[in-house]
Amino acid sequence: MQTIVYVPLDERPCNYRYPQILASMTDMTLKAPEIGMLGRKKTAANTDAIRDWLPGAVSGADALIVSIDMLVHGGIVPSRLHHTDEAVCKERLAVLAELKRDNPQLRIYGFNLITRVPAYSSSEEEPDYYADYGNEIFTYGWLKDKAEQESLDEEETARLEAVTAAIPEAVLEDFLTRRKTNSFVNAETMKLVRDGIIDYLIVPLDDNSQYGFSPLEQRKLTLLAEELDISDRVMIYPGADEIGCTLFARAFCEAKGYIPKAFVRYSSVHGPFVAPKYEDRSLGESIKYHLTAAGAVSHDNSAGTDFVLMTNSPPVGQKDMAECSTPYSGRNRAYFSETNPKEFVQAIRHYIREGHMVALADVAVSNGSDLPFMKLVARSGLLHDIAAYAAWNTSGNTLGTVISHAIIESYYRGRGDQSAERLNRSRAYYYFRLIEDWGYQALVRKDVIHNELPKLGASYYELTHVQAEVYAVIQRKLEEFVEQYVQESCPGRIRIEDVHLPWSRMFEVGFETVLEQV
């Protein structure tokens, strides 16, 4: 039995629990630090404790999946807030060389984000000054990068001068200094790939755009990878919180000698060519990155594939792409003319009837399911026949999540594994995704924010004083969602347990899904 040690990006379920759930569907063991060691949101994890924990954890292990942001800075948000000296960062990285020295057969899969630059002003996950200057900092980076790559017109030049004057010098210096340190860590991590310490590295672009600090950093790192002659072992593409799942799928494929073949089918002919919100490249290119990083290969037709990735894709990209919260009537006209959900559902039925395993990537809108489409799927009677699903946050988050699940499920299905326990865990995770991505993100979250929190004297970020009441309301509404849309398609009873809000805000939810056999 293979043993993999996992150091997650942070303590939220998407980073901590999802890879563990995937591992529970396999004959592999995944070991992670106790959650109390991992900090919370802006409070950094105890990096010394994690480094002390690692040698014993990897003793006798086959692989290590490690978030460099966690190892060096104590998590994703602390990586945006730190004032850590480069020498200290390098010292914290040195533990990886020690682990490899003590266990030369240990395969190390690393990931380290290119720090995001949100386009809005909020200090929720950023330094305090981002509440006042966030949009200006984003615009400054966007225009500076565009000026370097192309040229600015007169209006853009004036805008750059205005935002430069608007950002206090100390604020900009702090922001740029931290990015310089994070860039240094990424470069040092790439050198560990060159030295054979890290075997495979993913550098995710967290909430990025066509121009700005993130794409500028991406170009530098791509050139560095070529200079170090490690391009075959480094992937740079949009993503963040799904990478733990992606790298577990890759480690699984390598351990099993499995190269899954996936055929990708889109709901819109424009789908593969549009660039989704929060990303810098076309959806079609991103999907190829996600498949490759997870150990799979894109197949040119459905015949002979291990699974079909049905992609409910947006017909437009970037600013015209809808959010999950966008009223249906407020969507861009292309959603009504340049996508065909009825044909797409018919195609799903066709592939299932032909015996294909179908995974559904629902990325037509951001931050949750495409509600009208998913109601159509439910009414078609196909919910129980779909093998894997995701629709949360960014396109990259969704793709990495659904692809990793599809890879594992396709491996066991292809070998005729009918283990009831394994299948129960896989199906429970599938129903979890429906409840979280469709039920919570597309329906319950908005309902609770607008209709329930005001009754409790609470709001999106201020709810800890009525935490138990909020959790109870969310659980009740999720259970109502299950009864309305999901339970009829499920052969067992679905039970929801341990509902909570990991960061005491309404954005993400945590819970466990138990599938009881009847």
Side-chain angles (χ1 to χ4, degrees):
M1 178 183 290
Q2 290 264 329
T3 298
I4 299 176
V5 176
Y6 175 52
V7 178
L9 181 58
D10 66 30
E11 81 289 356
R12 288 173 298 162
C14 56
N15 289 307
Y16 188 71
R17 282 289 295 142
Y18 296 178
Q20 294 185 56
I21 295 171
L22 290 177
S24 75
M25 305 172 198
T26 74
D27 59 354
M28 301 172 74
T29 299
L30 190 71
K31 294 166 55 177
E34 291 295 326
I35 196 166
M37 198 185 296
L38 300 178
R40 188 173 186 272
K41 199 177 180 179
K42 286 190 172 184
T43 301
N46 186 334
T47 55
D48 290 336
I50 290 171
R51 288 197 307 280
D52 291 343
W53 172 82
L54 271 169
V58 303
S59 178
D62 300 283
L64 166 66
I65 299 171
V66 57
S67 162
I68 304 300
D69 288 296
M70 174 60 75
L71 185 68
V72 174
H73 301 302
I76 184 172
V77 175
S79 74
R80 305 167 188 160
L81 307 175
H82 71 87
H83 291 94
T84 310
D85 183 83
E86 289 182 359
V88 174
C89 293
K90 190 170 182 178
E91 179 184 339
R92 291 174 179 174
L93 278 174
V95 69
L96 297 178
E98 296 169 9
L99 297 176
K100 196 78 166 189
R101 180 196 63 209
D102 295 340
N103 184 0
Q105 303 307 311
L106 181 73
R107 286 189 62 77
I108 300 179
Y109 304 85
F111 63 109
N112 196 49
L113 276 58
I114 291 179
T115 310
R116 75 174 191 173
V117 187
Y120 50 82
S121 295
S122 169
S123 61
E124 174 68 14
E125 298 181 34
E126 316 297 328
D128 290 345
Y129 55 71
Y130 218 86
D132 299 312
Y133 305 106
N135 181 256
E136 287 78 6
I137 291 171
F138 170 83
T139 304
Y140 172 86
W142 198 95
L143 291 170
K144 289 282 284 186
D145 185 34
K146 186 181 181 188
E148 181 178 315
Q149 296 304 310
E150 300 174 13
S151 62
L152 302 182
D153 59 28
E154 188 174 326
E155 182 180 342
E156 290 171 328
T157 300
R159 177 66 177 145
L160 177 57
E161 292 174 355
V163 297
T164 303
I167 305 170
E169 186 176 336
V171 166
L172 189 58
E173 181 181 358
D174 177 82
F175 184 81
L176 295 177
T177 298
R178 186 177 298 106
R179 289 200 69 86
K180 179 175 177 290
T181 301
N182 290 356
S183 177
F184 168 82
V185 172
N186 263 322
E188 290 299 308
T189 303
M190 283 195 167
K191 292 175 185 175
L192 295 179
V193 178
R194 176 200 61 189
D195 297 340
I197 293 165
I198 293 177
D199 297 278
Y200 194 81
L201 175 68
I202 296 178
V203 182
L205 290 144
D206 184 14
D207 286 6
N208 65 309
S209 57
Q210 182 181 6
Y211 300 107
F213 291 109
S214 293
L216 176 63
E217 177 73 5
Q218 176 192 191
R219 291 192 294 274
K220 289 181 179 177
L221 291 174
T222 301
L223 293 174
L224 179 60
E226 182 63 26
E227 178 185 329
L228 297 175
D229 197 22
I230 57 171
S231 293
D232 58 325
R233 288 167 283 159
V234 175
M235 293 281 279
I236 307 175
Y237 63 93
D241 294 317
E242 80 292 344
I243 300 297
C245 294
T246 297
L247 285 175
F248 178 78
R250 184 177 188 88
F252 176 86
C253 287
E254 291 187 359
K256 301 297 185 183
Y258 180 47
I259 305 176
K261 301 182 291 295
F263 173 63
V264 184
R265 170 74 146 76
Y266 299 88
S267 61
S268 170
V269 295
H270 296 289
F273 308 110
V274 302
K277 274 188 175 181
Y278 314 114
E279 300 191 357
D280 69 338
R281 67 198 66 191
S282 67
L283 178 61
E285 287 301 325
S286 283
I287 288 177
K288 289 191 291 183
Y289 274 96
H290 283 278
L291 287 169
T292 305
V297 62
S298 180
H299 205 51
D300 53 2
N301 59 67
S302 61
T305 57
D306 295 291
F307 64 93
V308 176
L309 182 66
M310 299 299 288
T311 306
N312 183 33
S313 51
V316 288
Q318 298 296 359
K319 65 181 179 64
D320 293 321
M321 183 178 169
E323 291 280 349
C324 175
S325 58
T326 304
Y328 192 46
S329 60
R331 292 187 182 185
N332 184 282
R333 62 168 296 278
Y335 279 92
F336 303 95
S337 59
E338 294 297 333
T339 186
N340 194 329
K342 296 178 182 65
E343 183 277 338
F344 193 59
V345 170
Q346 180 174 293
I348 292 173
R349 179 181 291 109
H350 167 73
Y351 287 122
I352 290 171
R353 284 178 175 174
E354 282 202 330
H356 292 284
M357 192 194 106
V358 168
L360 178 54
D362 187 3
V363 294
V365 299
S366 299
N367 289 305
S369 294
D370 179 359
L371 179 57
F373 166 72
M374 286 307 295
K375 289 198 295 186
L376 195 62
V377 174
R379 287 171 184 157
S380 72
L382 294 171
L383 274 185
H384 181 62
D385 297 316
I386 295 170
Y389 175 81
W392 63 289
N393 294 12
T394 68
S395 171
N397 293 151
T398 287
L399 292 170
T401 304
V402 70
I403 287 170
S404 58
H405 187 191
I407 284 173
I408 292 167
E409 181 62 19
S410 68
Y411 174 83
Y412 288 103
R413 288 197 187 192
R415 280 144 189 81
D417 186 315
Q418 299 298 320
S419 165
E421 183 178 358
R422 188 207 67 76
L423 184 59
N424 180 274
R425 289 173 178 171
S426 181
R427 297 311 288 162
Y429 184 58
Y430 166 70
Y431 288 114
F432 169 88
R433 295 251 60 92
L434 290 176
I435 299 166
E436 203 273 350
D437 304 354
W438 177 13
Y440 183 76
Q441 294 205 24
L443 291 168
V444 171
R445 177 168 57 193
K446 182 166 58 175
D447 180 13
V448 172
I449 290 170
H450 294 297
N451 300 319
E452 303 295 338
L453 293 186
K455 299 176 188 175
L456 296 169
S459 62
Y460 192 99
Y461 294 114
E462 300 293 332
L463 44 77
T464 54
H465 61 294
V466 287
Q467 179 173 285
E469 292 91 335
V470 174
Y471 290 179
V473 167
I474 292 172
Q475 174 147 352
R476 173 171 57 81
K477 289 185 177 290
L478 290 178
E479 289 170 346
E480 290 171 356
F481 163 79
V482 169
E483 289 300 322
Q484 181 176 357
Y485 291 110
V486 181
Q487 186 62 71
E488 185 178 352
S489 71
C490 181
R493 291 297 304 174
I494 299 171
R495 193 171 75 247
I496 298 170
E497 297 180 346
D498 189 28
V499 172
H500 61 286
L501 300 171
W503 280 358
S504 299
R505 63 182 188 180
M506 290 297 297
F507 186 67
E508 59 269 286
V509 69
F511 60 92
E512 296 291 327
T513 301
V514 178
L515 184 56
E516 298 177 339
Q517 298 301 312
V518 293

